[in-house]
Short mmCIF file of all heavy atoms in Angstrom, two decimals:
data_model
loop_
_atom_site.label_atom_id
_atom_site.label_comp_id
_atom_site.label_asym_id
_atom_site.label_seq_id
_atom_site.Cartn_x
_atom_site.Cartn_y
_atom_site.Cartn_z
N ALA K 186 15.15 -7.43 18.08
CA ALA K 186 15.95 -7.78 19.41
C ALA K 186 16.70 -6.77 19.85
O ALA K 186 17.47 -6.80 20.88
CB ALA K 186 16.71 -9.05 19.08
N LEU K 187 16.74 -5.57 19.25
CA LEU K 187 17.41 -4.35 19.84
C LEU K 187 16.96 -3.89 21.10
O LEU K 187 17.52 -3.10 21.81
CB LEU K 187 17.37 -3.13 18.73
CG LEU K 187 18.07 -3.28 17.37
CD1 LEU K 187 17.91 -1.99 16.60
CD2 LEU K 187 19.58 -3.44 17.76
N ILE K 188 15.69 -4.45 21.45
CA ILE K 188 15.13 -4.03 22.78
C ILE K 188 16.02 -4.38 23.85
O ILE K 188 15.94 -3.90 24.96
CB ILE K 188 13.81 -4.85 22.94
CG1 ILE K 188 12.92 -4.37 24.10
CG2 ILE K 188 13.87 -6.28 22.87
CD1 ILE K 188 12.33 -2.98 24.00
N HIS K 189 17.13 -5.20 23.69
CA HIS K 189 18.05 -5.61 24.71
C HIS K 189 18.65 -4.30 25.11
O HIS K 189 19.23 -4.12 26.32
CB HIS K 189 19.03 -6.50 24.15
CG HIS K 189 18.67 -7.98 24.19
ND1 HIS K 189 18.03 -8.48 25.36
CD2 HIS K 189 18.81 -8.93 23.36
CE1 HIS K 189 17.76 -9.72 24.98
NE2 HIS K 189 18.19 -10.00 23.87
N SER K 190 18.80 -3.23 24.26
CA SER K 190 19.47 -2.03 24.56
C SER K 190 18.63 -1.09 25.40
O SER K 190 19.10 0.07 25.71
CB SER K 190 19.87 -1.22 23.30
OG SER K 190 20.72 -2.12 22.59
N ARG K 191 17.44 -1.39 25.64
CA ARG K 191 16.52 -0.56 26.36
C ARG K 191 16.94 -0.11 27.69
O ARG K 191 17.42 -0.90 28.55
CB ARG K 191 15.13 -1.21 26.45
CG ARG K 191 14.07 -0.37 27.07
CD ARG K 191 13.00 -1.24 27.47
NE ARG K 191 12.22 -0.40 28.49
CZ ARG K 191 10.88 -0.27 28.38
NH1 ARG K 191 10.27 -0.90 27.48
NH2 ARG K 191 10.23 0.51 29.11
N ASP K 192 16.80 1.12 28.16
CA ASP K 192 16.78 1.48 29.59
C ASP K 192 15.47 2.09 29.96
O ASP K 192 14.78 2.62 29.08
CB ASP K 192 18.06 2.28 29.93
CG ASP K 192 17.90 3.84 29.79
OD1 ASP K 192 16.89 4.24 30.26
OD2 ASP K 192 18.75 4.42 28.99
N ASP K 193 15.13 1.94 31.19
CA ASP K 193 13.80 2.15 31.65
C ASP K 193 13.25 3.62 31.55
O ASP K 193 12.12 3.88 31.66
CB ASP K 193 13.50 1.57 32.98
CG ASP K 193 13.20 0.08 32.77
OD1 ASP K 193 12.98 -0.36 31.64
OD2 ASP K 193 13.50 -0.66 33.77
N SER K 194 14.23 4.58 31.28
CA SER K 194 13.92 5.87 31.13
C SER K 194 13.37 6.23 29.78
O SER K 194 12.80 7.42 29.55
CB SER K 194 15.03 6.77 31.44
OG SER K 194 16.03 6.55 30.52
N ARG K 195 13.41 5.32 28.91
CA ARG K 195 12.84 5.55 27.44
C ARG K 195 11.68 4.66 27.21
O ARG K 195 11.58 3.73 27.77
CB ARG K 195 14.08 5.38 26.46
CG ARG K 195 15.30 6.26 26.96
CD ARG K 195 16.43 5.95 26.13
NE ARG K 195 17.61 6.26 26.96
CZ ARG K 195 17.89 7.51 27.35
NH1 ARG K 195 17.25 8.61 26.93
NH2 ARG K 195 18.98 7.85 28.08
N ARG K 196 10.81 5.15 26.18
CA ARG K 196 9.73 4.33 25.83
C ARG K 196 10.02 3.64 24.50
O ARG K 196 10.48 4.41 23.47
CB ARG K 196 8.41 5.14 25.62
CG ARG K 196 8.07 5.86 27.13
CD ARG K 196 7.31 4.80 27.86
NE ARG K 196 7.30 5.14 29.29
CZ ARG K 196 8.15 4.69 30.21
NH1 ARG K 196 9.12 3.90 29.80
NH2 ARG K 196 8.13 5.06 31.44
N TRP K 197 9.80 2.44 24.42
CA TRP K 197 10.10 1.71 23.18
C TRP K 197 8.85 1.09 22.47
O TRP K 197 8.04 0.50 23.22
CB TRP K 197 11.07 0.51 23.45
CG TRP K 197 12.51 0.95 23.54
CD1 TRP K 197 12.98 1.89 24.45
CD2 TRP K 197 13.66 0.45 22.80
NE1 TRP K 197 14.36 1.89 24.39
CE2 TRP K 197 14.79 1.08 23.36
CE3 TRP K 197 13.82 -0.46 21.70
CZ2 TRP K 197 16.07 0.79 22.74
CZ3 TRP K 197 15.09 -0.71 21.18
CH2 TRP K 197 16.14 -0.03 21.74
N VAL K 198 8.66 1.44 21.19
CA VAL K 198 7.51 0.89 20.56
C VAL K 198 7.87 0.02 19.31
O VAL K 198 8.89 0.19 18.67
CB VAL K 198 6.73 2.12 19.96
CG1 VAL K 198 5.38 1.60 19.12
CG2 VAL K 198 6.29 3.13 21.07
N TRP K 199 7.06 -1.06 19.15
CA TRP K 199 7.43 -1.95 18.07
C TRP K 199 6.35 -1.67 17.00
O TRP K 199 5.14 -1.91 17.34
CB TRP K 199 7.27 -3.42 18.36
CG TRP K 199 7.76 -4.30 17.35
CD1 TRP K 199 9.04 -4.10 16.58
CD2 TRP K 199 7.00 -5.42 16.82
NE1 TRP K 199 8.95 -5.21 15.61
CE2 TRP K 199 7.87 -6.04 15.72
CE3 TRP K 199 5.85 -6.10 17.10
CZ2 TRP K 199 7.47 -7.07 14.91
CZ3 TRP K 199 5.36 -7.10 16.36
CH2 TRP K 199 6.27 -7.61 15.25
N ARG K 200 6.68 -1.25 15.75
CA ARG K 200 5.74 -0.93 14.64
C ARG K 200 5.80 -2.16 13.68
O ARG K 200 6.78 -2.28 12.92
CB ARG K 200 6.14 0.25 13.94
CG ARG K 200 5.26 0.65 12.70
CD ARG K 200 3.91 0.90 13.05
NE ARG K 200 3.12 1.35 11.86
CZ ARG K 200 2.26 0.70 11.21
NH1 ARG K 200 1.97 -0.56 11.45
NH2 ARG K 200 1.64 1.30 10.24
N CYS K 201 4.73 -2.90 13.66
CA CYS K 201 4.71 -4.09 12.77
C CYS K 201 3.94 -3.77 11.54
O CYS K 201 2.76 -3.39 11.67
CB CYS K 201 4.09 -5.31 13.59
SG CYS K 201 4.07 -6.65 12.57
N HIS K 202 4.66 -3.96 10.40
CA HIS K 202 4.02 -3.47 9.15
C HIS K 202 3.40 -4.85 8.43
O HIS K 202 2.88 -4.73 7.29
CB HIS K 202 4.95 -2.85 8.14
CG HIS K 202 5.49 -1.54 8.75
ND1 HIS K 202 4.74 -0.40 8.39
CD2 HIS K 202 6.51 -1.23 9.52
CE1 HIS K 202 5.35 0.69 9.10
NE2 HIS K 202 6.39 0.19 9.68
N ILE K 203 3.65 -6.03 8.92
CA ILE K 203 3.28 -7.17 8.39
C ILE K 203 2.03 -7.86 9.01
O ILE K 203 1.60 -7.56 10.15
CB ILE K 203 4.50 -8.25 8.15
CG1 ILE K 203 4.94 -8.66 9.52
CG2 ILE K 203 5.45 -7.57 7.38
CD1 ILE K 203 5.93 -9.71 9.39
N ASP K 204 1.45 -8.88 8.32
CA ASP K 204 0.37 -9.60 8.91
C ASP K 204 0.77 -10.81 9.79
O ASP K 204 1.30 -11.73 9.29
CB ASP K 204 -0.44 -10.06 7.58
CG ASP K 204 -1.68 -10.79 8.06
OD1 ASP K 204 -1.89 -11.05 9.20
OD2 ASP K 204 -2.47 -11.02 7.00
N LEU K 205 0.45 -10.67 11.04
CA LEU K 205 0.89 -11.70 11.90
C LEU K 205 -0.25 -12.75 12.37
O LEU K 205 -0.12 -13.43 13.34
CB LEU K 205 1.50 -11.08 13.16
CG LEU K 205 2.73 -10.46 13.08
CD1 LEU K 205 3.34 -10.06 14.61
CD2 LEU K 205 3.86 -11.42 12.50
N SER K 206 -1.34 -12.61 11.47
CA SER K 206 -2.50 -13.34 11.88
C SER K 206 -2.28 -14.83 11.84
O SER K 206 -2.90 -15.75 12.48
CB SER K 206 -3.74 -12.99 11.11
OG SER K 206 -3.41 -13.20 9.76
N ASN K 207 -1.34 -15.37 10.99
CA ASN K 207 -1.27 -16.77 10.81
C ASN K 207 0.31 -17.11 10.63
O ASN K 207 0.80 -17.58 9.60
CB ASN K 207 -1.85 -17.18 9.53
CG ASN K 207 -1.75 -18.70 9.13
OD1 ASN K 207 -1.72 -19.46 10.03
ND2 ASN K 207 -1.71 -18.87 7.94
N PRO K 208 1.12 -16.84 11.78
CA PRO K 208 2.65 -17.04 11.64
C PRO K 208 2.96 -18.41 11.90
O PRO K 208 2.37 -19.30 12.39
CB PRO K 208 3.09 -16.09 12.77
CG PRO K 208 1.96 -16.29 13.82
CD PRO K 208 0.71 -16.44 13.04
N SER K 209 4.20 -18.65 11.43
CA SER K 209 4.87 -19.97 11.75
C SER K 209 4.99 -19.80 13.46
O SER K 209 5.48 -18.95 13.86
CB SER K 209 6.16 -19.97 11.23
OG SER K 209 7.20 -20.42 12.13
N ARG K 210 4.47 -20.97 13.97
CA ARG K 210 4.53 -20.97 15.46
C ARG K 210 5.91 -20.81 16.07
O ARG K 210 6.15 -20.04 16.97
CB ARG K 210 3.86 -22.32 15.93
CG ARG K 210 3.38 -22.32 17.43
CD ARG K 210 2.56 -23.56 17.73
NE ARG K 210 3.38 -24.84 17.38
CZ ARG K 210 4.36 -25.36 18.08
NH1 ARG K 210 4.71 -24.78 19.20
NH2 ARG K 210 4.91 -26.41 17.71
N GLU K 211 6.80 -21.55 15.51
CA GLU K 211 8.27 -21.57 15.92
C GLU K 211 8.90 -20.16 15.95
O GLU K 211 9.49 -19.76 16.92
CB GLU K 211 9.13 -22.42 15.03
CG GLU K 211 9.23 -23.80 15.42
CD GLU K 211 10.27 -24.62 14.52
OE1 GLU K 211 10.22 -24.38 13.23
OE2 GLU K 211 11.10 -25.35 15.11
N VAL K 212 8.68 -19.53 14.63
CA VAL K 212 9.28 -18.15 14.57
C VAL K 212 8.53 -17.24 15.47
O VAL K 212 9.18 -16.40 16.19
CB VAL K 212 9.27 -17.62 13.23
CG1 VAL K 212 9.83 -16.30 12.96
CG2 VAL K 212 9.96 -18.69 12.22
N TRP K 213 7.29 -17.20 15.64
CA TRP K 213 6.59 -16.39 16.48
C TRP K 213 7.00 -16.61 17.92
O TRP K 213 7.28 -15.62 18.76
CB TRP K 213 4.98 -16.37 16.38
CG TRP K 213 4.32 -15.60 17.21
CD1 TRP K 213 3.45 -15.95 18.23
CD2 TRP K 213 4.52 -14.15 17.43
NE1 TRP K 213 3.11 -14.86 19.02
CE2 TRP K 213 3.64 -13.77 18.46
CE3 TRP K 213 5.31 -13.06 16.72
CZ2 TRP K 213 3.55 -12.29 18.84
CZ3 TRP K 213 5.19 -11.85 17.12
CH2 TRP K 213 4.41 -11.44 18.19
N GLU K 214 7.08 -17.88 18.32
CA GLU K 214 7.49 -18.10 19.78
C GLU K 214 8.84 -17.60 20.03
O GLU K 214 9.32 -17.31 21.21
CB GLU K 214 7.39 -19.62 20.05
CG GLU K 214 5.92 -19.99 20.35
CD GLU K 214 5.72 -21.42 20.55
OE1 GLU K 214 6.68 -22.27 20.44
OE2 GLU K 214 4.45 -21.83 20.66
N PHE K 215 9.76 -17.63 19.04
CA PHE K 215 11.11 -17.07 19.27
C PHE K 215 11.04 -15.57 19.43
O PHE K 215 11.80 -15.01 20.22
CB PHE K 215 12.01 -17.44 18.00
CG PHE K 215 13.35 -16.96 17.96
CD1 PHE K 215 14.31 -17.13 18.93
CD2 PHE K 215 13.68 -15.91 16.83
CE1 PHE K 215 15.65 -16.41 18.80
CE2 PHE K 215 14.94 -15.45 16.68
CZ PHE K 215 15.76 -15.61 17.75
N LEU K 216 10.19 -14.94 18.67
CA LEU K 216 10.18 -13.45 18.54
C LEU K 216 9.33 -12.81 19.66
O LEU K 216 9.58 -11.75 20.29
CB LEU K 216 9.68 -12.91 17.31
CG LEU K 216 10.65 -12.94 16.08
CD1 LEU K 216 9.94 -12.44 14.74
CD2 LEU K 216 11.86 -12.08 16.27
N ALA K 217 8.29 -13.52 20.08
CA ALA K 217 7.29 -12.92 20.96
C ALA K 217 8.04 -12.41 22.31
O ALA K 217 7.63 -11.24 22.69
CB ALA K 217 6.23 -13.89 21.27
N PRO K 218 8.92 -13.23 22.87
CA PRO K 218 9.47 -12.55 24.13
C PRO K 218 10.13 -11.15 24.01
O PRO K 218 10.12 -10.45 24.87
CB PRO K 218 10.40 -13.72 24.55
CG PRO K 218 9.99 -14.91 23.95
CD PRO K 218 9.48 -14.44 22.54
N PHE K 219 10.61 -10.98 22.73
CA PHE K 219 11.30 -9.62 22.42
C PHE K 219 10.33 -8.52 22.38
O PHE K 219 10.25 -7.52 23.09
CB PHE K 219 12.11 -9.64 21.27
CG PHE K 219 13.24 -10.64 21.16
CD1 PHE K 219 13.20 -11.77 20.31
CD2 PHE K 219 14.42 -10.44 21.98
CE1 PHE K 219 14.25 -12.53 20.26
CE2 PHE K 219 15.37 -11.31 21.99
CZ PHE K 219 15.37 -12.40 21.15
N ILE K 220 9.19 -8.96 21.73
CA ILE K 220 8.05 -8.04 21.43
C ILE K 220 7.41 -7.59 22.72
O ILE K 220 7.09 -6.40 23.01
CB ILE K 220 6.96 -8.59 20.52
CG1 ILE K 220 7.62 -9.16 19.19
CG2 ILE K 220 5.85 -7.61 20.23
CD1 ILE K 220 8.52 -8.16 18.47
N GLU K 221 7.20 -8.54 23.66
CA GLU K 221 6.50 -8.29 24.86
C GLU K 221 7.35 -7.42 25.80
O GLU K 221 6.73 -6.98 26.92
CB GLU K 221 6.04 -9.56 25.51
CG GLU K 221 5.06 -10.28 24.58
CD GLU K 221 4.06 -11.17 25.24
OE1 GLU K 221 4.41 -11.90 26.06
OE2 GLU K 221 2.84 -11.05 24.82
N ARG K 222 8.59 -7.06 25.45
CA ARG K 222 9.35 -6.15 26.34
C ARG K 222 9.19 -4.71 25.93
O ARG K 222 9.62 -3.75 26.62
CB ARG K 222 10.80 -6.51 26.27
CG ARG K 222 11.17 -7.92 27.02
CD ARG K 222 12.57 -8.21 27.11
NE ARG K 222 13.31 -7.12 27.69
CZ ARG K 222 14.61 -7.04 27.57
NH1 ARG K 222 15.31 -8.00 26.93
NH2 ARG K 222 15.29 -6.08 28.16
N TYR K 223 8.48 -4.47 24.85
CA TYR K 223 8.20 -3.12 24.38
C TYR K 223 7.18 -2.59 25.14
O TYR K 223 6.37 -3.24 25.87
CB TYR K 223 7.84 -3.08 22.81
CG TYR K 223 8.96 -3.46 21.97
CD1 TYR K 223 9.53 -4.65 21.66
CD2 TYR K 223 9.61 -2.32 21.24
CE1 TYR K 223 10.75 -4.84 20.90
CE2 TYR K 223 10.70 -2.49 20.43
CZ TYR K 223 11.27 -3.81 20.18
OH TYR K 223 12.31 -3.84 19.38
N ASP K 224 6.97 -1.22 25.13
CA ASP K 224 5.88 -0.50 25.83
C ASP K 224 4.56 -0.70 25.15
O ASP K 224 3.45 -0.53 25.68
CB ASP K 224 6.20 0.94 26.03
CG ASP K 224 7.34 1.11 27.06
OD1 ASP K 224 7.15 0.81 28.18
OD2 ASP K 224 8.39 1.49 26.64
N ALA K 225 4.64 -0.76 23.74
CA ALA K 225 3.45 -0.93 22.87
C ALA K 225 3.75 -1.49 21.61
O ALA K 225 4.99 -1.51 21.26
CB ALA K 225 2.79 0.51 22.70
N ALA K 226 2.87 -2.15 20.93
CA ALA K 226 2.85 -2.53 19.58
C ALA K 226 1.88 -1.85 18.64
O ALA K 226 0.79 -1.57 19.11
CB ALA K 226 2.79 -4.03 19.39
N ILE K 227 2.38 -1.65 17.45
CA ILE K 227 1.36 -0.94 16.55
C ILE K 227 1.24 -1.89 15.31
O ILE K 227 2.16 -2.45 14.76
CB ILE K 227 1.95 0.28 16.02
CG1 ILE K 227 2.25 1.16 17.23
CG2 ILE K 227 1.01 0.99 15.02
CD1 ILE K 227 3.01 2.51 16.81
#
Side-chain angles (χ1 to χ4, degrees):
L187 291 177
I188 189 73
H189 279 315
S190 301
R191 178 203 168 124
D192 82 54
D193 282 339
S194 62
R195 305 171 206 291
R196 296 281 159 266
W197 282 59
V198 180
W199 187 54
R200 171 64 170 109
C201 179
H202 296 272
I203 64 175
D204 178 356
L205 288 187
S206 57
N207 180 33
S209 136
R210 196 172 51 80
E211 265 186 318
V212 177
W213 177 243
E214 282 176 1
F215 171 63
L216 282 176
F219 300 114
I220 306 308
E221 295 203 320
R222 292 183 57 194
Y223 285 78
D224 292 292
I227 303 174

